[in-house]
Amino acid sequence: SSQNLSEEFAEAARQLKKEAPRIQFGKIDVTHQHDLRKEFNIQAFPTVKFFVNGSREDPIDCKGVRKASTFITWVKRRTGSSTVLINSTDQAEAIIKADDFAVIGFFRELHNDSVEVFCETARDVPEMPFGMTVSEDVCANYGIQRNSLVVFKKAKPVHNEVLEDGRQNKLDLTRLIKTFTLDLVTEYNIETSVKIFDVPVENHILLFTPTNSKAFNEIYENYQSAAAEFRGKILFVLVDTDEARNGRIFEYFRIRDIDVPAVRILNLTSDARYKMPADEVTVENIKEFCQSYLNGKAKQHLPSEKIPQDWDKMPVKVLVGKNFNSIIF
């Protein structure tokens, strides 16, 4: 909520006052400051912007940051070094074991395009530690070739991405790293929903099924198997249809009890929805559905209400998806 964010923001300001007195924190109620709201194009609340070197031109948006500790890391990485330079295996171990996740770049040299993109990415992912190394000993210790990005989860490497100079994209790396902070399949609930929508992966696939059904284990295993192949491209979400608190998401996708198990893809940018053509939730069907969607061949699903009996009785006609085309066009 806005109130929680405001408190965390104030806590970050208190902590940074001693450490970095040159960084000033302020808050504005834009309901009374219409000129400022217009000047900085404030669309959503709360919005946090970072102004650099006394300039009010092009402030940097601070998105998805919700905790005081993360605010502090975000600001520090914007004003100083965004990654720790690792010179020894002990140093690497300390970073890897300090948190649930750690990201380390193993490089041939400290100045190339890949390093630049890596450091830029670190600025936008303050939730976890970033380190980089050019040490042969450290690379040899983990058996990792140079120019690789490795995500460690609870001290174990869970993903190794080979970086090619000049080919990296900051958004792609951010997407990849943030996807690894979620499970292979993330169950949708009040706690995880914030995290799910924070990950910069615009394609979400959702499996709607009761988790206590006899067929659930097999369905879930198939879903998980397919998820491994599309990590970083499509975010796999599980929605328990027995959970009453998930009612709003069923309404949004127009899912009824008789429809489950059901699989849908949602594109967050366009809000377009797609329905898996096959009824059976098999590994093959899910993979085929995901691939056809990524190739732009999946048909958009436009759920529609029933045509009301009295839709044409009044001067203003009632339109739904089923009669929209025939009446309008």
Side-chain angles (χ1 to χ4, degrees):
S1 73
S2 281
Q3 184 58 38
N4 282 351
L5 190 84
S6 191
E7 286 167 13
E8 293 290 328
F9 189 69
E11 180 54 35
R14 275 195 291 276
Q15 289 185 37
L16 275 175
K17 198 173 180 181
K18 293 172 191 169
E19 283 182 66
R22 290 183 63 214
I23 298 167
Q24 302 290 319
F25 282 70
K27 63 178 179 179
I28 297 167
D29 181 353
V30 288
T31 51
H32 305 299
Q33 303 287 338
H34 298 293
D35 291 350
L36 288 175
R37 182 176 178 172
K38 194 176 174 187
E39 180 185 349
F40 299 115
N41 191 26
I42 307 299
Q43 307 278 350
F45 304 99
T47 292
V48 178
K49 288 184 181 282
F50 185 49
F51 294 84
V52 185
N53 297 330
S55 167
R56 65 195 290 157
E57 301 295 317
D58 299 322
I60 303 159
D61 279 329
C62 178
K63 292 178 181 171
V65 176
R66 287 179 168 78
K67 290 185 178 175
S69 57
T70 323
F71 266 122
I72 291 166
T73 304
W74 190 91
V75 169
K76 281 182 174 176
R77 289 185 186 178
R78 286 277 161 195
T79 54
S81 176
S82 62
T83 58
V84 176
L85 182 59
I86 297 166
N87 295 313
S88 68
T89 303
D90 288 349
Q91 227 182 332
E93 283 295 293
I95 288 172
I96 290 164
K97 287 179 177 170
D99 227 309
D100 282 353
F101 284 91
V103 183
I104 295 183
F106 296 81
F107 297 107
R108 290 192 195 90
E109 52 176 333
L110 284 177
H111 305 286
N112 64 25
D113 291 347
S114 292
V115 172
E116 210 172 293
V117 175
F118 181 77
C119 293
E120 270 296 308
T121 306
R123 289 193 179 99
D124 287 336
V125 189
E127 306 94 312
M128 62 193 84
F130 274 66
M132 62 178 184
T133 188
V134 287
S135 160
E136 280 182 37
D137 292 347
V138 176
C139 292
N141 183 67
Y142 294 101
I144 288 159
Q145 67 180 70
R146 303 293 186 85
N147 260 29
S148 296
L149 174 147
V150 181
V151 182
F152 291 84
K153 181 177 181 178
K154 289 196 166 67
K156 288 180 182 174
V158 288
H159 183 75
N160 186 343
E161 184 87 359
V162 177
L163 302 172
E164 295 172 41
D165 291 349
R167 296 276 298 282
Q168 270 66 52
N169 175 311
K170 183 178 78 169
L171 185 66
D172 287 345
L173 284 194
T174 308
R175 188 182 290 138
L176 181 98
I177 292 158
K178 285 205 171 190
T179 310
F180 273 92
T181 67
L182 292 173
D183 295 327
L184 199 55
V185 173
T186 306
E187 185 167 351
Y188 181 92
N189 56 43
I190 290 160
E191 290 76 38
T192 61
S193 62
V194 172
K195 224 175 171 190
I196 287 167
F197 293 113
D198 259 358
V199 174
V201 176
E202 67 172 356
N203 310 312
H204 289 191
I205 186 168
L206 302 98
L207 165 64
F208 294 86
T209 187
T211 57
N212 65 357
S213 70
K214 284 178 185 173
F216 174 72
N217 286 346
E218 190 187 339
I219 287 170
Y220 184 74
E221 240 172 71
N222 292 343
Y223 193 59
Q224 213 171 15
S225 298
E229 202 166 303
F230 296 95
R231 194 161 205 170
K233 292 175 188 166
I234 302 177
L235 194 67
F236 276 63
V237 179
L238 167 71
V239 185
D240 182 3
T241 54
D242 281 341
E243 175 52 73
R245 286 177 297 182
N246 290 339
R248 281 175 69 188
I249 200 164
F250 308 148
E251 279 171 37
Y252 181 74
F253 284 92
R254 302 260 168 102
I255 300 284
R256 301 160 302 168
D257 288 345
I258 55 165
D259 295 327
V260 299
V263 179
R264 301 283 188 273
I265 284 178
L266 169 68
N267 180 293
L268 291 190
T269 307
S270 65
D271 198 39
R273 278 158 267 184
Y274 302 80
K275 179 183 179 180
M276 187 168 78
D279 289 330
E280 265 194 288
V281 184
T282 63
V283 180
E284 275 316 303
N285 287 344
I286 301 162
K287 281 186 183 178
E288 206 172 300
F289 180 39
C290 290
Q291 204 52 62
S292 73
Y293 167 75
L294 291 174
N295 294 344
K297 289 176 182 169
K299 282 186 181 172
Q300 205 170 319
H301 179 56
L302 302 165
S304 176
E305 299 166 46
K306 285 179 181 171
I307 301 170
Q309 283 182 325
D310 58 353
W311 72 271
D312 63 343
K313 297 282 188 290
M314 303 297 282
V316 177
K317 311 303 177 193
V318 178
L319 302 177
V320 294
K322 281 177 181 156
N323 70 348
F324 182 87
N325 224 32
S326 57
I327 303 305
I328 298 298
F329 300 111

